[in-house]
């Protein structure tokens, strides 16, 4: 392989970055943030695939919703989201990538897309209002549901990305496909090699 080969980040069909990125001509692979593509420090390995699931954030407390109640709430919420998706099968909101995803992720992604009315790939304040009104009639979901937006907004930018949504619902994307083989993503995000200046210095 030509060492001048341009690095092209690998992306998921829904436009996010794959958790594992590899620069094949150098043999290095590393973990990235799925929304920004930023490298997660300390994850780069040569001639191997890093274990990106081990660098995911641990369970965080949900303010005003104790841990035992949070777990019950998240299970009830997933049941509610499953029912919502099943009751609207005729909707044109679909998930694009189901091959390497769990049922929970498919359900969470479908509901994210349904809530994302302006289709900017973020749930914003006005979209959360419709979510809150949707769950307000369900006693099991009401109390902790009010806390969910802040809980999901890990980076405090007042909007929820799909990655944040999946993480807060415990419905993360698996890193490998069936059989432990890295999936071949398509389409690829084009752009300059973010490591080019670093590699030139070596």
């Amino acid at each position: 392989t030509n060492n001048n080969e341009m690095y092209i980040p690998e992306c998921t069909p829904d436009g996010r970055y794959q958790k594992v990125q590899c620069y094949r001509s150098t043999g290095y692979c590393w973990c990235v943030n799925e929304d920004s593509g930023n490298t997660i420090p300390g994850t780069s390995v040569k001639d191997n695939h890093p274990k990106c699931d081990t660098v995911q954030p641990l369970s965080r407390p949900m303010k005003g919703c104790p841990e035992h109640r949070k777990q019950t709430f998240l299970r009830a919420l997933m049941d509610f989201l499953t029912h919502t998706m099943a009751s609207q099968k005729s909707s044109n909101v679909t998930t694009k990538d189901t091959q390497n995803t769990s049922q929970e992720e498919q359900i969470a992604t479908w509901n994210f897309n349904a809530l994302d009315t302006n289709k900017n790939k973020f749930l914003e304040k006005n979209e959360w209002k419709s979510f809150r009104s949707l769950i307000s009639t369900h006693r099991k979901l009401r109390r902790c549901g009010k806390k969910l937006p802040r809980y999901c907004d890990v980076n405090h930018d007042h909007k929820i990305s799909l990655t944040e949504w999946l993480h807060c619902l415990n419905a993360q994307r698996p890193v490998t496909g069936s059989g432990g083989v890295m999936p071949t993503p398509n389409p690829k995000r084009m752009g300059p090699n973010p490591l080019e200046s670093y590699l030139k210095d070596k």
Side-chain angles (χ1 to χ4, degrees), residues 76-158:
L77 179 60
M78 189 55 74
D79 289 344
F80 174 77
L81 296 177
T82 302
H83 175 73
T84 302
M85 180 175 147
S87 68
Q88 297 186 20
K89 279 190 174 182
S90 62
S91 171
N92 61 1
V93 181
T94 58
T95 54
K96 296 175 185 172
D97 177 24
T98 58
Q99 183 180 2
N100 295 312
T101 57
S102 66
Q103 182 179 7
E104 289 81 9
E105 183 175 345
Q106 291 173 40
I107 292 163
T109 302
W110 186 93
N111 280 275
F112 179 92
N113 290 332
L115 289 167
D116 182 22
T117 54
N118 66 3
K119 303 303 175 206
N120 69 346
K121 299 187 188 256
F122 290 98
L123 298 182
E124 296 169 327
K125 199 171 190 174
N126 60 331
E127 292 162 332
W128 273 110
K129 285 180 185 174
S130 62
F131 173 76
R132 281 187 174 133
S133 65
L134 193 64
I135 64 170
S136 65
T137 57
H138 297 271
R139 189 177 55 80
K140 286 183 178 179
L141 302 177
R142 206 174 1 206
R143 186 170 179 182
C144 290
K146 287 192 259 180
K147 315 291 182 187
L148 193 65
R150 259 197 200 124
Y151 174 69
C152 291
D153 185 16
V154 176
N155 64 1
H156 309 292
D157 64 354
H158 305 289

Side-chain angles (χ1 to χ4, degrees), residues 5-120:
E5 178 184 311
M6 186 168 80
Y7 165 72
I8 301 172
E10 297 179 349
C11 298
T12 63
D14 62 12
R16 296 186 298 153
Y17 291 89
Q18 285 284 357
K19 282 183 186 179
V20 176
Q21 296 290 322
C22 293
Y23 194 2
R24 306 232 185 274
S25 64
T26 66
Y28 278 96
C29 293
W30 59 94
C31 303
V32 301
N33 175 288
E34 293 170 279
D35 292 316
S36 68
N38 293 337
T39 300
I40 298 173
T43 60
S44 180
V45 293
K46 186 165 174 61
D47 300 325
N48 205 346
H49 287 289
K51 293 178 174 45
C52 296
D53 283 335
T54 63
V55 298
Q56 297 304 335
L58 298 171
S59 178
R60 298 174 294 112
M62 185 187 289
K63 195 171 184 178
C65 187
E67 189 62 28
H68 70 281
R69 184 174 283 154
K70 181 183 89 171
Q71 294 306 322
T72 302
F73 162 73
L74 289 174
R75 283 191 297 273
L77 179 60
M78 189 55 74
D79 289 344
F80 174 77
L81 296 177
T82 302
H83 175 73
T84 302
M85 180 175 147
S87 68
Q88 297 186 20
K89 279 190 174 182
S90 62
S91 171
N92 61 1
V93 181
T94 58
T95 54
K96 296 175 185 172
D97 177 24
T98 58
Q99 183 180 2
N100 295 312
T101 57
S102 66
Q103 182 179 7
E104 289 81 9
E105 183 175 345
Q106 291 173 40
I107 292 163
T109 302
W110 186 93
N111 280 275
F112 179 92
N113 290 332
L115 289 167
D116 182 22
T117 54
N118 66 3
K119 303 303 175 206
N120 69 346

